[in-house]
Amino acid sequence: MIKFGTDGFRAIIGQDYTFDTIEKIAQAQADSLKERGGKKVVIGYDTRFLSEDFALSVAEVFSSNGFQVYVSKGNCTTPALSYAVKSLGADEGVMITASHNGYKYNGYKIKGNYGGPATVDIIKDVESRFGKSQVLKGKKDFQFLDLTNHYLEKVKSYFDYSIFKQKELKVVHDPMFATSIGLYNRLLEDTFIDVVEINHFKDPYFGGHHPEPIDKNLSLLKAKVVALEADLGIANDGDSDRVGVVSETGEFVSTQILYALLLLHTVRNRKFKGSIVKTVSTTYLADRIAQKEGLKLHKTPVGFKYVADIMLNETVAFGGEESGGYGFGFHIPERDGILSGMLMLEMLMLYGKPLNEIIKDLFKEFGEAHYKREDIKVEGTQGLDLVKSFKEKDIKEFAGLKVKEKDTTDGVKLIFEDDSWLLLRASGTEPVLRIYAETPSLKITDKLINEAKKQIQ
């Protein structure tokens, strides 16, 4: 029995992630897809240890099951794989990646024919079929395609490139030793934007860090932005579906602030209208922007698959989550860290002012928002027990703030009278309690998190 998490199956290479396991997942997916009339699949892979070999094994299983199979010619990003699935008219796709997880891990993501995360029903069906039928092998009739070039041409089509020739601008890019190496150089050649890359060689150990573009992993990027007096720093995770940004002063920009900035850029500057989707752990600025712009707002559990599901059923302008994964209605229903970075550059060019000034304007219009998240190691069921107790208690006040609403969509979220919030979520796969908080004051945000930590027995 296997279990897919919020974004695919992930496990430690050589322990639970083996060729035998991956081939059984591929066979289960092939059986599921055949029953639904599927005939064509596309397979991509990242820069991790043995990712290419795992991808070729998956391709062999699908080929042996009679599918028309396309495999990425070289490693690719998850957005490139997802776009290829849709543009090639494939029935499903597979991306071999563990995204932002450490080097010991690898993973298996299933993509739908629309170019986004597979639906919950499809995932459940694949899980239920795991190990139920013999794995077919022996046929290697598949075609290799350059998925990256195909994807980059699509990204370029979204922009009027004259915007990138309005003035000179310097950006430092950190691909974190992974799939986005060289992509911004290719996207921005023949423009006035000077791209400087760091950590731009393939390293399956990711320089000893998790390939996750969060503050603690971007010390070199922050220092390089300051040293070169660059206008922006951009980092992408292991499979490039997430983005992290550093301002001109070398400060990490909260992913919640990025959500708000990209949302406003999409609906105001690009004038793409539609509803907005946010996960339960995403900024209250989304609510305020939706109200002012007169746009419908959906709230979902954590996981982009829930965002993508809404994008498939109605016109969505923008959707995303606090992890730095954002999707755009004019693109595919998928998180795209490369497109997000390009849109940040477009925004800087349009406003003609430093990023920190743009953030000040955001706060002036919609109020300040200071966000933090802490993952706390707990013993046994401590995390689950605390979340359960918060759900059951009638909490009228917490850390001196009056509770306006309690949201139990995913974990338990206390929403206070000034829109500030505290969210507690227990991991279902490891002994970790995740504590999130956002308030108009960094001091109050810290106070909420510290008070929540005191509740752990």
Side-chain angles (χ1 to χ4, degrees):
M1 181 65 184
I2 57 155
K3 188 71 178 174
F4 279 64
T6 54
D7 191 20
F9 168 76
R10 296 180 198 178
I12 294 175
I13 301 169
Q15 187 171 308
D16 293 322
Y17 197 97
T18 63
F19 283 98
D20 180 65
T21 299
I22 297 312
E23 289 165 0
K24 286 180 179 177
I25 295 175
Q27 184 63 52
Q29 184 184 356
D31 291 341
S32 174
L33 192 50
K34 276 191 286 188
E35 193 169 284
R36 289 178 278 119
K39 297 178 180 179
K40 186 192 297 186
V41 296
V42 186
I43 300 164
Y45 57 93
D46 67 10
T47 59
R48 289 170 183 272
F49 180 64
L50 290 177
S51 279
E52 181 178 6
D53 299 85
F54 285 122
L56 292 175
S57 289
V58 170
E60 181 179 348
V61 171
F62 275 101
S63 179
S64 301
N65 276 275
F67 284 86
Q68 184 179 358
V69 182
Y70 295 99
V71 181
S72 178
K73 186 179 181 180
N75 69 80
C76 68
T77 68
T78 287
L81 180 278
S82 292
Y83 175 66
V85 172
K86 181 179 180 181
S87 63
L88 293 172
D91 298 290
E92 268 176 18
V94 176
M95 181 68 187
I96 300 298
T97 180
S99 189
H100 64 282
N101 285 65
Y103 70 87
K104 293 181 180 180
Y105 288 81
N106 213 327
Y108 190 112
K109 293 183 179 183
I110 299 176
K111 301 299 177 179
N113 61 2
Y114 39 81
T119 64
V120 174
D121 288 341
I122 289 174
I123 294 299
K124 286 182 177 178
D125 189 47
V126 172
E127 288 176 337
S128 71
R129 294 173 184 268
F130 179 79
K132 297 289 178 66
S133 61
Q134 181 183 352
V135 175
L136 301 183
K137 295 173 66 178
K139 185 178 178 183
K140 299 181 180 181
D141 183 16
F142 36 81
Q143 186 176 346
F144 292 94
L145 293 177
D146 186 344
L147 305 188
T148 298
N149 189 61
H150 187 54
Y151 161 78
L152 293 179
E153 289 304 313
K154 184 60 178 179
V155 171
K156 285 181 179 179
S157 74
Y158 294 132
F159 297 91
D160 175 351
Y161 262 66
S162 65
I163 190 68
F164 300 125
K165 296 181 180 180
Q166 299 301 308
K167 68 170 185 175
E168 292 184 357
L169 188 144
K170 182 176 289 185
V171 59
V172 182
H173 178 229
D174 183 359
M176 307 191 86
F177 307 99
T179 55
S180 61
I181 294 171
L183 297 193
Y184 287 94
N185 298 75
R186 292 171 65 178
L187 285 167
L188 294 165
E189 61 184 356
D190 299 324
T191 71
F192 290 177
I193 297 180
D194 178 19
V195 180
V196 178
E197 276 196 314
I198 60 172
N199 299 325
H200 56 300
F201 59 91
K202 295 172 188 174
D203 177 8
Y205 293 100
F206 306 112
H209 299 286
H210 285 205
E212 183 175 15
I214 57 177
D215 194 6
K216 68 179 183 179
N217 296 333
L218 300 179
S219 56
L220 179 57
L221 177 61
K222 291 186 286 185
K224 197 74 171 179
V225 167
V226 172
L228 296 181
E229 297 183 347
D231 300 278
L232 191 71
I234 299 174
N236 294 107
D237 69 328
D239 65 335
S240 305
D241 61 358
R242 298 187 187 188
V243 68
V245 165
V246 171
S247 74
E248 73 280 1
T249 53
E251 297 171 273
F252 178 75
V253 179
S254 162
T255 53
Q256 305 280 25
I257 302 304
L258 282 188
Y259 178 104
L261 290 173
L262 287 168
L263 165 57
L264 278 173
H265 182 54
T266 301
V267 301
R268 283 186 177 176
N269 301 329
R270 285 184 153 259
K271 301 189 183 304
F272 192 90
K273 298 298 182 183
S275 58
I276 302 169
V277 189
K278 76 167 198 174
T279 61
V280 69
S281 60
T282 304
T283 180
Y284 55 66
L285 294 175
D287 302 66
R288 296 176 182 179
I289 293 170
Q291 184 176 18
K292 187 164 187 177
E293 297 295 321
L295 300 173
K296 182 180 179 182
L297 176 66
H298 296 276
K299 300 177 185 179
T300 75
V302 172
F304 195 81
K305 61 187 176 184
Y306 300 108
V307 178
D309 186 55
I310 295 173
M311 295 179 81
L312 291 173
N313 290 294
E314 67 180 70
T315 301
V316 171
F318 180 82
E321 50 187 353
E322 61 84 27
S323 64
Y326 313 108
F328 306 88
F330 59 83
H331 188 39
I332 51 176
E334 178 68 279
R335 295 180 298 191
D336 195 325
I338 304 300
L339 178 58
S340 296
M342 289 291 289
L343 288 167
M344 288 298 295
L345 290 168
E346 180 185 51
M347 184 182 69
L348 282 183
M349 285 293 198
L350 283 173
Y351 286 121
K353 60 174 70 174
L355 181 55
N356 281 334
E357 291 298 316
I358 298 172
I359 293 171
K360 285 180 183 177
D361 292 341
L362 173 74
F363 285 172
K364 185 176 180 181
E365 184 175 1
F366 296 100
E368 292 199 24
H370 297 276
Y371 165 82
K372 276 193 175 183
R373 166 182 157 179
E374 284 196 29
D375 289 357
I376 311 298
K377 291 283 186 181
V378 291
E379 297 293 330
T381 61
Q382 278 183 320
L384 290 167
D385 292 342
L386 180 59
V387 171
K388 183 180 178 182
S389 70
F390 264 61
K391 284 182 178 180
E392 294 173 347
K393 288 179 184 174
D394 182 18
I395 304 173
K396 293 186 170 15
E397 186 177 277
F398 189 86
L401 298 177
K402 291 185 178 179
V403 177
K404 176 177 67 175
E405 180 186 345
K406 184 189 288 186
D407 185 343
T408 57
T409 301
D410 189 348
V412 59
K413 182 178 184 180
L414 301 180
I415 304 171
F416 306 102
E417 290 185 332
D418 63 349
D419 293 338
S420 297
W421 54 270
L422 171 75
L423 171 65
L424 303 180
R425 290 180 63 245
S427 171
T429 58
E430 56 183 334
V432 169
L433 174 69
R434 295 189 170 93
I435 305 175
Y436 313 71
E438 183 184 40
T439 80
S441 160
L442 192 55
K443 184 178 179 180
I444 299 175
T445 299
D446 286 332
K447 184 179 179 181
L448 278 175
I449 288 180
N450 290 333
E451 190 62 34
K453 287 160 71 173
K454 290 179 185 177
Q455 306 298 315
I456 301 173
Q457 301 297 323

